[in-house]
Amino acid sequence: MKKPAPRRRPRGTSLDSFRAAVAAVRRFRDDREWARFHTPKNLAAAVAIEAAELQERFLWKTDDEIARELAAGPKRDAVVEELADVMLFTLLLADRLGGDVGEAVATKLAANARQYPVALARGTARKY
């Protein structure tokens, strides 16, 4: 009997990917000498502001309208750009706090798996 192939992580989810992203964002920041402005308060505010700008892209639109806009083209690109802004400031905040984003994501996924076991959570958005 043939042994099943090992499950691979989805592309871009390795701890090394997170570390590389943080390093790239840190380099960008440091090249411009912006670290002094990146206090936890300012970075948390920046995350919230960028998340609001992301949310604004969907405001007052139906699910069908959103699906059409996200299919391709400049509106989809604008949403992805807003998402990147959220991610950049999130990575900077995690770095400022000394957190390892990859480890934090892995830990949170493990906690969520315990809190929402597949047998109870599959196919439902209800809290239990």
Side-chain angles (χ1 to χ4, degrees), residues 14-110:
S14 74
L15 297 179
D16 290 338
S17 295
F18 280 114
R19 289 182 183 120
V22 170
V25 173
R26 190 184 303 127
R27 268 191 312 278
F28 181 89
R29 176 202 63 204
D30 291 347
D31 286 349
R32 289 152 182 81
E33 297 181 355
W34 288 348
R36 64 184 170 182
F37 307 115
H38 289 178
T39 64
K41 174 189 72 79
N42 288 342
L43 291 169
V47 169
I49 291 164
E50 295 299 341
E53 290 178 8
L54 173 62
Q55 192 173 29
E56 185 179 29
R57 296 282 176 179
F58 303 108
L59 188 63
W60 312 123
K61 296 176 183 171
T62 67
D63 288 343
D64 288 340
E65 289 171 322
I66 292 168
R68 280 192 301 276
E69 288 183 6
L70 293 181
K75 290 188 177 182
R76 180 189 177 281
D77 295 344
V79 168
V80 171
E81 185 174 319
E82 293 297 348
L83 183 57
D85 287 340
V86 172
M87 292 299 299
L88 288 170
F89 284 117
T90 300
L91 291 172
L92 284 165
L93 180 56
D95 185 57
R96 178 62 188 247
L97 298 175
D100 184 317
V101 176
E103 289 293 337
V105 168
T107 300
K108 185 62 176 177
L109 280 173

Side-chain angles (χ1 to χ4, degrees), residues 115-116 120 124-128:
Q115 185 174 359
Y116 303 103
L120 297 174
T124 181
R126 287 187 293 144
K127 293 278 187 173
Y128 49 86

